[in-house]
Amino acid sequence: CHTAVVGNYWVEGHVPADLVKKLMTEKPTDIEGISVPGMPMGSPGMEGPNPQTYDVVAYQSDGETRVYATREGRSEP
């Protein structure tokens, strides 16, 4: 989908901009990158009917994953 390198992190998929800013402000040392898997309806750029709640996943340096944030999907603008 969409991949970017922001600072020392990678960002994959339709991650909300405020969470990229949060990542850059907090600069966690245990995270390699964040992602929104699966292009869920209602994530940024995927607005439309039937929005879904979705997770933004953090990929940690030790190879584990965790939920970085959960968001309510948005309908069409």
Side-chain angles (χ1 to χ4, degrees):
C1 188
H2 311 287
T3 305
V5 175
V6 183
N8 293 324
Y9 305 98
W10 53 263
V11 178
E12 175 75 26
H14 296 249
V15 177
D18 68 298
L19 292 179
V20 176
K21 290 178 185 177
K22 176 183 174 189
L23 183 69
M24 296 307 300
T25 299
E26 295 179 350
K27 293 183 169 58
T29 58
D30 64 332
I31 293 177
E32 299 288 325
I34 57 177
S35 173
V36 174
M39 297 176 58
M41 186 59 68
S43 62
M46 295 294 295
E47 295 86 356
N50 306 315
Q52 305 167 345
T53 299
Y54 61 94
D55 290 332
V56 178
V57 179
Y59 295 81
Q60 301 177 165
S61 303
D62 64 4
E64 297 294 317
T65 59
R66 65 178 170 86
V67 174
Y68 187 69
T70 299
R71 288 295 169 89
E72 294 292 322
R74 296 184 61 173
S75 299
E76 295 180 53

